[in-house]
Tab-separated table of all heavy atoms in Angstrom:
chain	number	residue	atom	x	y	z
A	92	ARG	N	51.247	4.728	-19.873
A	92	ARG	CA	50.773	5.672	-18.899
A	92	ARG	C	51.859	6.565	-18.285
A	92	ARG	O	51.622	7.675	-18.089
A	92	ARG	CB	50.089	4.775	-17.768
A	92	ARG	CG	49.093	5.574	-16.866
A	92	ARG	CD	49.761	6.251	-15.740
A	92	ARG	NE	48.769	6.932	-14.919
A	92	ARG	CZ	49.003	7.769	-13.963
A	92	ARG	NH1	50.254	8.259	-13.741
A	92	ARG	NH2	48.099	8.267	-13.264
A	93	ALA	N	52.977	5.910	-18.053
A	93	ALA	CA	54.144	6.685	-17.431
A	93	ALA	C	54.557	7.736	-18.404
A	93	ALA	O	54.925	8.940	-18.090
A	93	ALA	CB	55.264	5.720	-17.104
A	94	ALA	N	54.681	7.508	-19.716
A	94	ALA	CA	55.043	8.389	-20.812
A	94	ALA	C	54.122	9.506	-20.831
A	94	ALA	O	54.594	10.724	-20.943
A	94	ALA	CB	55.305	7.714	-22.071
A	95	ALA	N	52.831	9.196	-20.852
A	95	ALA	CA	51.821	10.325	-20.861
A	95	ALA	C	51.973	11.191	-19.678
A	95	ALA	O	51.845	12.426	-19.781
A	95	ALA	CB	50.475	9.643	-21.028
A	96	ALA	N	52.061	10.676	-18.523
A	96	ALA	CA	52.128	11.353	-17.261
A	96	ALA	C	53.387	12.382	-17.313
A	96	ALA	O	53.344	13.479	-16.946
A	96	ALA	CB	52.261	10.496	-16.001
A	97	LYS	N	54.572	11.890	-17.826
A	97	LYS	CA	55.754	12.625	-17.903
A	97	LYS	C	55.534	13.811	-18.871
A	97	LYS	O	55.946	14.995	-18.532
A	97	LYS	CB	56.903	11.777	-18.401
A	97	LYS	CG	58.174	12.416	-18.493
A	97	LYS	CD	59.338	11.470	-18.907
A	97	LYS	CE	60.672	12.182	-18.968
A	97	LYS	NZ	61.784	11.261	-19.197
A	98	LEU	N	54.814	13.567	-19.919
A	98	LEU	CA	54.478	14.708	-20.875
A	98	LEU	C	53.566	15.749	-20.311
A	98	LEU	O	53.781	16.964	-20.521
A	98	LEU	CB	53.938	14.169	-22.173
A	98	LEU	CG	54.894	13.392	-23.072
A	98	LEU	CD1	54.113	12.805	-24.229
A	98	LEU	CD2	56.095	14.335	-23.603
A	99	LEU	N	52.638	15.245	-19.503
A	99	LEU	CA	51.738	16.253	-18.888
A	99	LEU	C	52.509	17.090	-17.865
A	99	LEU	O	52.319	18.324	-17.738
A	99	LEU	CB	50.569	15.431	-18.159
A	99	LEU	CG	49.493	14.835	-18.917
A	99	LEU	CD1	48.557	13.996	-18.179
A	99	LEU	CD2	48.670	15.928	-19.706
A	100	GLU	N	53.348	16.464	-17.169
A	100	GLU	CA	54.267	17.195	-16.151
A	100	GLU	C	55.078	18.201	-16.846
A	100	GLU	O	55.383	19.276	-16.343
A	100	GLU	CB	55.094	16.129	-15.301
A	100	GLU	CG	54.234	15.352	-14.365
A	100	GLU	CD	55.122	14.310	-13.695
A	100	GLU	OE1	56.298	14.056	-14.133
A	100	GLU	OE2	54.549	13.562	-12.849
A	101	ALA	N	55.502	17.873	-18.018
A	101	ALA	CA	56.400	18.848	-18.796
A	101	ALA	C	55.471	19.949	-19.462
A	101	ALA	O	56.079	20.867	-20.209
A	101	ALA	CB	57.174	18.174	-19.995
A	102	GLY	N	54.000	19.932	-19.414
A	102	GLY	CA	53.301	20.938	-19.882
A	102	GLY	C	52.679	20.677	-21.201
A	102	GLY	O	52.122	21.583	-21.876
A	103	HIS	N	52.752	19.442	-21.787
A	103	HIS	CA	52.304	19.096	-23.133
A	103	HIS	C	50.897	18.560	-23.132
A	103	HIS	O	50.530	17.691	-22.181
A	103	HIS	CB	53.277	18.104	-23.817
A	103	HIS	CG	54.673	18.609	-24.007
A	103	HIS	ND1	54.889	19.634	-24.922
A	103	HIS	CD2	55.765	18.382	-23.337
A	103	HIS	CE1	56.219	19.881	-24.870
A	103	HIS	NE2	56.743	19.015	-23.916
A	104	VAL	N	50.142	18.846	-24.116
A	104	VAL	CA	48.909	18.162	-24.372
A	104	VAL	C	49.367	16.943	-25.136
A	104	VAL	O	50.113	16.948	-26.025
A	104	VAL	CB	47.869	18.904	-25.266
A	104	VAL	CG1	46.619	18.104	-25.633
A	104	VAL	CG2	47.437	20.128	-24.468
A	105	VAL	N	48.754	15.749	-24.789
A	105	VAL	CA	49.209	14.505	-25.394
A	105	VAL	C	48.130	13.945	-26.278
A	105	VAL	O	46.921	13.665	-25.932
A	105	VAL	CB	49.457	13.433	-24.329
A	105	VAL	CG1	50.031	12.209	-24.949
A	105	VAL	CG2	50.404	14.014	-23.201
A	106	GLY	N	48.408	13.776	-27.580
A	106	GLY	CA	47.465	13.236	-28.522
A	106	GLY	C	47.688	11.681	-28.532
A	106	GLY	O	48.741	11.147	-28.341
A	107	MET	N	46.536	10.974	-28.597
A	107	MET	CA	46.569	9.484	-28.451
A	107	MET	C	45.664	8.854	-29.427
A	107	MET	O	44.613	9.296	-29.772
A	107	MET	CB	45.998	9.065	-27.023
A	107	MET	CG	46.906	9.544	-25.850
A	107	MET	SD	46.096	9.168	-24.277
A	107	MET	CE	47.524	9.479	-23.166
A	108	SER	N	46.134	7.782	-29.972
A	108	SER	CA	45.371	6.881	-30.751
A	108	SER	C	44.627	5.836	-29.916
A	108	SER	O	45.266	5.143	-29.081
A	108	SER	CB	46.257	6.188	-31.854
A	108	SER	OG	45.502	5.175	-32.673
A	109	VAL	N	43.331	5.738	-30.047
A	109	VAL	CA	42.518	4.876	-29.185
A	109	VAL	C	41.465	4.125	-29.984
A	109	VAL	O	41.124	4.465	-31.078
A	109	VAL	CB	41.877	5.704	-28.135
A	109	VAL	CG1	42.780	6.344	-27.124
A	109	VAL	CG2	40.852	6.705	-28.662
A	110	ASP	N	41.003	2.944	-29.341
A	110	ASP	CA	39.920	2.225	-29.782
A	110	ASP	C	38.594	2.706	-29.158
A	110	ASP	O	38.450	2.588	-27.878
A	110	ASP	CB	40.141	0.756	-29.556
A	110	ASP	CG	39.076	-0.197	-30.075
A	110	ASP	OD1	38.057	0.266	-30.567
A	110	ASP	OD2	39.164	-1.449	-30.028
A	111	ILE	N	37.602	3.162	-30.048
A	111	ILE	CA	36.433	3.748	-29.417
A	111	ILE	C	35.596	2.757	-28.589
A	111	ILE	O	34.789	3.211	-27.762
A	111	ILE	CB	35.536	4.344	-30.530
A	111	ILE	CG1	35.027	3.212	-31.508
A	111	ILE	CG2	36.305	5.442	-31.263
A	111	ILE	CD1	33.933	3.789	-32.473
A	112	PHE	N	35.841	1.491	-28.846
A	112	PHE	CA	34.939	0.456	-28.078
A	112	PHE	C	35.166	0.618	-26.603
A	112	PHE	O	34.173	0.352	-25.781
A	112	PHE	CB	35.404	-0.972	-28.631
A	112	PHE	CG	34.601	-2.065	-27.878
A	112	PHE	CD1	33.457	-2.512	-28.473
A	112	PHE	CD2	35.124	-2.669	-26.768
A	112	PHE	CE1	32.751	-3.501	-27.912
A	112	PHE	CE2	34.471	-3.696	-26.200
A	112	PHE	CZ	33.281	-4.142	-26.734
A	113	TYR	N	36.388	1.084	-26.130
A	113	TYR	CA	36.571	1.164	-24.757
A	113	TYR	C	36.332	2.467	-24.216
A	113	TYR	O	36.602	2.679	-22.960
A	113	TYR	CB	38.042	0.649	-24.476
A	113	TYR	CG	38.250	-0.859	-24.895
A	113	TYR	CD1	39.049	-1.028	-26.026
A	113	TYR	CD2	37.768	-1.837	-24.098
A	113	TYR	CE1	39.256	-2.437	-26.412
A	113	TYR	CE2	37.942	-3.159	-24.586
A	113	TYR	CZ	38.698	-3.367	-25.733
A	113	TYR	OH	38.824	-4.693	-26.042
A	114	LEU	N	35.927	3.472	-24.885
A	114	LEU	CA	35.626	4.786	-24.373
A	114	LEU	C	34.226	4.785	-23.790
A	114	LEU	O	33.274	4.632	-24.534
A	114	LEU	CB	35.872	5.816	-25.410
A	114	LEU	CG	37.250	5.897	-26.015
A	114	LEU	CD1	37.225	7.038	-27.203
A	114	LEU	CD2	38.335	6.284	-25.063
A	115	ASP	N	34.197	5.140	-22.542
A	115	ASP	CA	32.889	4.927	-21.823
A	115	ASP	C	31.781	5.871	-22.449
A	115	ASP	O	30.600	5.544	-22.396
A	115	ASP	CB	32.960	5.353	-20.264
A	115	ASP	CG	33.766	4.278	-19.498
A	115	ASP	OD1	34.883	3.930	-20.136
A	115	ASP	OD2	33.393	3.934	-18.494
A	116	TYR	N	32.216	7.016	-22.946
A	116	TYR	CA	31.118	8.020	-23.372
A	116	TYR	C	30.696	7.792	-24.830
A	116	TYR	O	29.789	8.520	-25.341
A	116	TYR	CB	31.739	9.450	-23.283
A	116	TYR	CG	33.078	9.629	-23.952
A	116	TYR	CD1	33.088	9.969	-25.309
A	116	TYR	CD2	34.251	9.531	-23.207
A	116	TYR	CE1	34.383	10.201	-25.913
A	116	TYR	CE2	35.484	9.842	-23.827
A	116	TYR	CZ	35.567	10.057	-25.170
A	116	TYR	OH	36.734	10.239	-25.826
A	117	PHE	N	31.325	6.866	-25.486
A	117	PHE	CA	30.950	6.427	-26.870
A	117	PHE	C	29.743	5.619	-26.883
A	117	PHE	O	29.633	4.510	-26.161
A	117	PHE	CB	32.133	5.738	-27.660
A	117	PHE	CG	32.744	6.619	-28.686
A	117	PHE	CD1	33.744	7.525	-28.487
A	117	PHE	CD2	32.267	6.411	-30.013
A	117	PHE	CE1	34.315	8.189	-29.415
A	117	PHE	CE2	32.957	7.118	-31.066
A	117	PHE	CZ	33.922	8.011	-30.749
A	118	SER	N	28.806	5.834	-27.791
A	118	SER	CA	27.558	5.041	-27.912
A	118	SER	C	27.858	3.863	-28.751
A	118	SER	O	27.185	2.715	-28.594
A	118	SER	CB	26.414	5.766	-28.409
A	118	SER	OG	26.760	6.256	-29.716
A	119	SER	N	28.767	3.880	-29.673
A	119	SER	CA	29.126	2.741	-30.546
A	119	SER	C	29.744	1.626	-29.788
A	119	SER	O	30.661	1.822	-28.887
A	119	SER	CB	30.100	3.229	-31.737
A	119	SER	OG	30.527	2.054	-32.486
A	120	ARG	N	29.277	0.355	-30.064
A	120	ARG	CA	29.980	-0.772	-29.508
A	120	ARG	C	30.791	-1.544	-30.500
A	120	ARG	O	30.853	-2.785	-30.319
A	120	ARG	CB	28.835	-1.644	-28.848
A	120	ARG	CG	28.188	-0.997	-27.710
A	120	ARG	CD	29.170	-0.816	-26.513
A	120	ARG	NE	29.895	0.386	-26.496
A	120	ARG	CZ	30.986	0.673	-25.853
A	120	ARG	NH1	31.552	-0.247	-25.099
A	120	ARG	NH2	31.614	1.754	-25.927
A	121	SER	N	31.367	-0.893	-31.464
A	121	SER	CA	32.155	-1.532	-32.469
A	121	SER	C	33.614	-1.126	-32.178
A	121	SER	O	33.860	-0.043	-31.605
A	121	SER	CB	31.702	-1.114	-33.903
A	121	SER	OG	31.823	0.221	-34.140
A	122	HIS	N	34.630	-1.886	-32.718
A	122	HIS	CA	35.956	-1.490	-32.568
A	122	HIS	C	36.434	-0.694	-33.735
A	122	HIS	O	36.150	-0.993	-34.924
A	122	HIS	CB	36.840	-2.871	-32.578
A	122	HIS	CG	36.634	-3.668	-31.292
A	122	HIS	ND1	37.345	-3.384	-30.170
A	122	HIS	CD2	35.944	-4.738	-31.001
A	122	HIS	CE1	37.013	-4.171	-29.191
A	122	HIS	NE2	36.137	-5.068	-29.702
A	123	PHE	N	36.964	0.460	-33.355
A	123	PHE	CA	37.591	1.389	-34.442
A	123	PHE	C	38.773	1.963	-33.699
A	123	PHE	O	38.637	2.690	-32.755
A	123	PHE	CB	36.659	2.397	-34.836
A	123	PHE	CG	37.280	3.276	-35.818
A	123	PHE	CD1	37.359	2.911	-37.179
A	123	PHE	CD2	37.755	4.595	-35.532
A	123	PHE	CE1	37.871	3.673	-38.238
A	123	PHE	CE2	38.341	5.420	-36.508
A	123	PHE	CZ	38.399	5.006	-37.778
A	124	ALA	N	40.009	1.456	-34.101
A	124	ALA	CA	41.213	1.849	-33.351
A	124	ALA	C	42.008	2.995	-33.888
A	124	ALA	O	43.157	3.170	-33.502
A	124	ALA	CB	41.982	0.585	-33.176
A	125	SER	N	41.391	3.688	-34.827
A	125	SER	CA	42.147	4.865	-35.453
A	125	SER	C	41.608	6.220	-35.022
A	125	SER	O	41.620	7.111	-35.796
A	125	SER	CB	42.149	4.779	-36.973
A	125	SER	OG	42.852	3.583	-37.403
A	126	HIS	N	40.965	6.231	-33.767
A	126	HIS	CA	40.356	7.429	-33.292
A	126	HIS	C	41.425	8.162	-32.473
A	126	HIS	O	42.293	7.537	-31.806
A	126	HIS	CB	39.172	7.046	-32.346
A	126	HIS	CG	38.408	8.233	-31.955
A	126	HIS	ND1	37.636	9.070	-32.916
A	126	HIS	CD2	38.104	8.795	-30.695
A	126	HIS	CE1	36.953	9.942	-32.160
A	126	HIS	NE2	37.338	9.878	-30.910
A	127	TYR	N	41.337	9.483	-32.523
A	127	TYR	CA	42.326	10.383	-31.781
A	127	TYR	C	41.580	11.228	-30.747
A	127	TYR	O	40.513	11.714	-30.958
A	127	TYR	CB	43.139	11.157	-32.698
A	127	TYR	CG	44.289	10.486	-33.445
A	127	TYR	CD1	43.972	9.797	-34.527
A	127	TYR	CD2	45.511	10.565	-32.992
A	127	TYR	CE1	45.041	9.039	-35.222
A	127	TYR	CE2	46.582	9.877	-33.630
A	127	TYR	CZ	46.321	9.200	-34.766
A	127	TYR	OH	47.321	8.431	-35.415
A	128	ILE	N	42.249	11.337	-29.584
A	128	ILE	CA	41.854	12.266	-28.447
A	128	ILE	C	43.035	12.943	-27.975
A	128	ILE	O	44.118	12.509	-28.102
A	128	ILE	CB	41.094	11.400	-27.394
A	128	ILE	CG1	41.860	10.372	-26.897
A	128	ILE	CG2	39.766	10.824	-27.866
A	128	ILE	CD1	41.274	9.716	-25.607
A	129	ALA	N	42.734	14.087	-27.329
A	129	ALA	CA	43.763	14.946	-26.621
A	129	ALA	C	43.567	14.774	-25.152
A	129	ALA	O	42.602	15.148	-24.531
A	129	ALA	CB	43.610	16.358	-27.045
A	130	LEU	N	44.677	14.297	-24.505
A	130	LEU	CA	44.651	14.116	-23.055
A	130	LEU	C	45.349	15.381	-22.428
A	130	LEU	O	46.349	15.805	-22.823
A	130	LEU	CB	45.549	12.943	-22.652
A	130	LEU	CG	45.778	12.616	-21.177
A	130	LEU	CD1	44.533	12.105	-20.609
A	130	LEU	CD2	46.946	11.678	-20.964
A	131	TYR	N	44.580	15.890	-21.432
A	131	TYR	CA	45.153	17.089	-20.679
A	131	TYR	C	45.249	16.981	-19.203
A	131	TYR	O	45.649	17.860	-18.468
A	131	TYR	CB	44.322	18.362	-21.057
A	131	TYR	CG	42.923	18.399	-20.582
A	131	TYR	CD1	42.672	18.956	-19.263
A	131	TYR	CD2	41.950	17.860	-21.267
A	131	TYR	CE1	41.303	19.050	-18.765
A	131	TYR	CE2	40.558	17.858	-20.714
A	131	TYR	CZ	40.344	18.487	-19.560
A	131	TYR	OH	39.036	18.514	-19.022
A	132	GLY	N	44.892	15.696	-18.672
A	132	GLY	CA	44.922	15.490	-17.351
A	132	GLY	C	44.792	14.078	-16.816
A	132	GLY	O	44.042	13.317	-17.499
A	133	LEU	N	45.347	13.791	-15.762
A	133	LEU	CA	45.226	12.416	-15.052
A	133	LEU	C	45.062	12.693	-13.547
A	133	LEU	O	46.025	13.364	-12.910
A	133	LEU	CB	46.407	11.496	-15.277
A	133	LEU	CG	46.657	10.976	-16.729
A	133	LEU	CD1	48.018	10.357	-16.780
A	133	LEU	CD2	45.524	9.942	-17.010
Side-chain angles (χ1 to χ4, degrees):
R92 200 274 183 195
K97 185 175 181 180
L98 289 174
L99 288 172
E100 290 173 353
H103 298 290
V104 174
V105 187
M107 297 178 167
S108 176
V109 295
D110 182 350
I111 64 173
F112 182 85
Y113 296 106
L114 299 179
D115 291 43
Y116 54 85
F117 248 86
S118 59
S119 173
R120 291 295 86 199
S121 60
H122 288 280
F123 181 80
S125 296
H126 188 68
Y127 280 82
I128 55 175
L130 177 75
Y131 69 93
L133 290 170

